[in-house]
Amino acid sequence: MVTPERVKEWESKYLQPWISKRKERKNKFTTPSGIEIKTLYTPLDLKGDYEEKIGFPGEYPYTRGIYPNMYRGRIWTIRQYAGFGSAEDTNARFRKLLEAGQTGLSTAFDLPTQLGLDPDNELAYTEVGVVGVSMFHWKEMDIVTNQIPLNKVSTSMTINATAMELLSMYVATAESRGVSPTEIDGTVQNDILKEYIARKNYIYPPEPSMRYAIDIIEYSYKNIPKWHPISISGYHIREAGADAVLEVAFTLADGIEYVRRTAERGIPVDDFAPTLSFFFAGYTNLFEEVAKFRAARRMWAKIMRDMFNAKKADSMTLKFHTQTGGAELTAQQPEINIIRTTIQALAAALGGTQSLHVNSYDEAVALPSEKAAKIAIRVQQIVAYESGSTETVDPLAGSYYVEWLTDEIEERAWKIIERVEGMGGMMKAVERGFPQAEIAESAYRLQKKIEEGEMIRVGVNMSYEPDWIGTTEVFRVNPEIRERVLTRLKKYRSERDQMKVRDSLNALRKAAENPSVNLFPYVLDAIKKGCTVGEISSTLREIWGEYKEPIIF
């Protein structure tokens, strides 16, 4: 049996004499989250018994995974995030990704779509189709999904402030093909809290925005049962500069707020909680990332059981998508990003993800080229089928270091969640600027470590080669697509029944004025009548106004 005395004996007899002759690489070893790492971990570092802290996969506390046999049954969904230019451009990329081995769609929308602006709005002109597909009318969704069976392929849509409009377009498209809303499967991000915290693509003030988000959850669980009506997203929190601990804490605190607000409508937790999903980043520090995923899964199970009295297993299981860390990609020597994303993908697999996107190596330079996107799929396939990481469940379980680090991340994250709850929940914390300030401070610490060389970035502060040319193919969106999009917008408006458009927007306006009314049926009706994203958003702006972020710093 290992005892504290035996560890001290080893340190004095073996470790210290060795270090005195051969200095270590640095004075202090820490994870990117600032958690100090010891030289050695032993059974003395484990806390609690096996059943309480680790358990078995497929049962509470789900530390080891939400399914009993995990990837021995099926591999995670290979879901590459894509979208650019016009609907035709994105459809072509989707079909090539599916041919290359992608198993689910993940759609990127341009900034005008995300912010409720039609492509002919003067504020939208230069951004049409640049960072995602332009999606202003339901018939554009029909083009994006051309020759893709909506009752067989799962689709994820990264959209928040206009999530209801985009999901309505998907429903309208499915119905136009004879596919019932009960048959479609996928996810709409719909996480407005993280927009205020990190990403900043919001339109309306927090309270009506929260109503909008909960309306989608309520409508979906009743009418689109296979759909995940929200993807509670830590990814953007991490990309804004948060460390792994803050990512877990703020994401789960957001989740608590959404569950609380939905339950306040009188909807039983076990009716809607199984449809909730999460979205995390996968960064390069392999062990911290694996521990982060395991801690988050255990914490969410405890939150749902103890805070919300959930009874169903599906209500307590944290189902999550992972995207590899975009902020860790480097424009310098971009090809070596393939190595980074491979480690990040492995961390996601070892951490038990249900869905995965691997960033393309050229994304620090431009939108992914077709070649780079295909390599990203191959990274997933190699991790899945060649690495051995999927042959047994939670293969790092029992590692003294991983189990200690899982506990450490959990303990630190609980303290932050307690602070948020002490402020009255995440909405109140956002209004006070607490998460924003914490993320900014974390981002500053991280950047300082990189600039001072304490945190290595190969190609940036180590092995930097100013004359590196590389072979990166830079992908650019064809600027001519803007005119194609504008021409179709004009055509759609000319062909619709203007009186039906007016009536549907008037009905939406009245519904928005009444907080007790669910908006989804009114937005869906407006979409089917031919209204555009910009027209619907303008109607809601009239009632709710626009949010102006307070100056915090």
Side-chain angles (χ1 to χ4, degrees), residues 185-483:
D185 184 10
T187 307
V188 65
Q189 194 163 96
N190 188 34
D191 179 3
I192 201 63
L193 283 173
K194 70 94 173 52
E195 295 296 336
Y196 298 114
I197 294 169
R199 194 161 171 261
K200 311 303 181 183
N201 281 355
Y202 43 71
I203 300 174
Y204 319 111
E207 278 299 336
S209 290
M210 181 62 80
R211 170 200 171 181
Y212 178 102
I214 304 304
D215 280 355
I216 296 175
I217 297 173
E218 181 181 29
Y219 183 88
S220 295
Y221 102 87
K222 293 177 179 177
N223 300 282
I224 321 174
K226 294 170 67 177
W227 198 265
H228 297 282
I230 191 166
S231 177
I232 304 160
S233 176
Y235 181 83
H236 306 95
I237 291 170
R238 188 67 178 275
E239 292 283 273
D243 59 31
V245 174
L246 290 173
E247 180 189 0
V248 170
F250 289 150
T251 305
L252 299 189
D254 284 350
I256 290 169
E257 190 78 1
Y258 290 121
V259 173
R260 182 186 290 128
R261 293 292 186 114
T262 307
E264 285 173 355
R265 295 195 177 187
I267 305 170
V269 166
D270 284 318
D271 282 1
F272 70 86
T275 67
L276 305 179
S277 64
F278 289 79
F279 176 20
F280 290 104
Y283 272 41
T284 313
N285 191 289
L286 179 73
F287 296 107
E288 182 171 68
E289 294 302 291
V290 172
K292 176 191 77 178
F293 295 132
R294 298 172 85 249
R297 194 160 43 236
R298 186 162 69 200
M299 292 173 71
W300 187 247
K302 185 175 180 62
I303 287 167
M304 294 307 296
R305 187 191 69 174
D306 297 350
M307 288 184 65
F308 296 106
N309 299 311
K311 304 301 181 186
K312 288 183 180 178
D314 278 352
S315 300
M316 292 181 268
T317 53
L318 185 143
K319 309 167 191 73
F320 69 97
H321 170 73
T322 307
Q323 181 173 340
T324 58
E328 289 205 315
L329 300 180
T330 61
Q332 301 91 333
Q333 304 179 31
E335 288 87 348
I336 66 173
N337 288 325
I338 297 173
I339 304 163
R340 292 188 176 99
T341 59
T342 301
I343 295 171
Q344 294 163 356
L346 179 61
L350 293 172
T353 194
Q354 278 63 68
S355 173
L356 178 60
H357 164 90
V358 169
N359 286 328
S360 301
Y361 68 82
D362 55 358
E363 288 191 55
V365 180
L367 288 175
S369 65
E370 185 178 331
K371 172 186 174 182
K374 184 176 289 187
I375 289 174
I377 290 177
R378 297 291 178 259
V379 166
Q380 293 210 45
Q381 291 170 326
I382 289 169
V383 170
Y385 299 108
E386 296 187 26
S387 72
S389 62
T390 60
E391 303 301 294
T392 188
V393 179
D394 192 21
L396 291 183
S399 157
Y400 303 131
Y401 175 45
V402 170
E403 297 298 353
W404 172 86
L405 190 53
T406 301
D407 289 342
E408 186 69 18
I409 290 174
E410 179 179 0
E411 289 173 11
R412 293 183 181 214
W414 278 127
K415 290 177 182 177
I416 297 168
I417 290 174
E418 288 167 5
R419 290 184 66 185
V420 170
E421 286 296 289
M423 295 175 189
M426 187 53 97
M427 279 282 286
K428 297 294 183 184
V430 167
E431 291 170 358
R432 292 175 60 171
F434 171 66
Q436 299 95 310
E438 290 293 305
I439 292 169
E441 178 62 28
S442 173
Y444 172 75
R445 289 195 302 267
L446 175 66
Q447 186 61 31
K448 188 176 180 182
K449 286 181 179 180
I450 293 173
E451 290 179 1
E452 293 179 351
E454 183 180 342
M455 182 177 289
I456 298 299
R457 286 288 180 269
V458 176
V460 179
N461 60 7
M462 172 188 273
S463 303
Y464 174 63
E465 297 182 31
D467 297 326
W468 177 287
I469 298 175
T471 57
T472 304
E473 170 193 352
V474 177
F475 177 80
R476 297 289 183 228
V477 175
N478 184 346
E480 293 179 4
I481 66 96
R482 183 189 298 114
E483 297 309 315

Side-chain angles (χ1 to χ4, degrees), residues 60 206 253 483 540:
Y60 188 90
E483 297 309 315
L540 296 177

Side-chain angles (χ1 to χ4, degrees), residues 48-117:
D49 62 32
Y50 179 88
E51 289 275 0
E52 174 198 0
K53 303 292 285 188
I54 304 174
F56 292 88
E59 70 176 36
Y60 188 90
Y62 304 102
T63 308
R64 301 199 65 181
I66 64 173
Y67 303 124
N69 67 341
M70 289 301 289
Y71 306 131
R72 287 168 67 102
R74 66 182 290 267
I75 298 299
W76 57 84
T77 302
I78 299 176
R79 193 187 298 280
Q80 292 300 114
Y81 187 48
F84 62 89
S86 67
E88 297 95 331
D89 299 318
T90 296
N91 175 258
R93 176 62 63 87
F94 276 164
R95 288 161 64 184
K96 287 177 180 177
L97 288 171
L98 289 169
E99 289 170 5
Q102 176 171 290
T103 55
L105 304 181
S106 183
T107 314
F109 300 100
D110 67 4
L111 288 176
T113 302
Q114 294 183 50
L115 295 172
L117 302 173

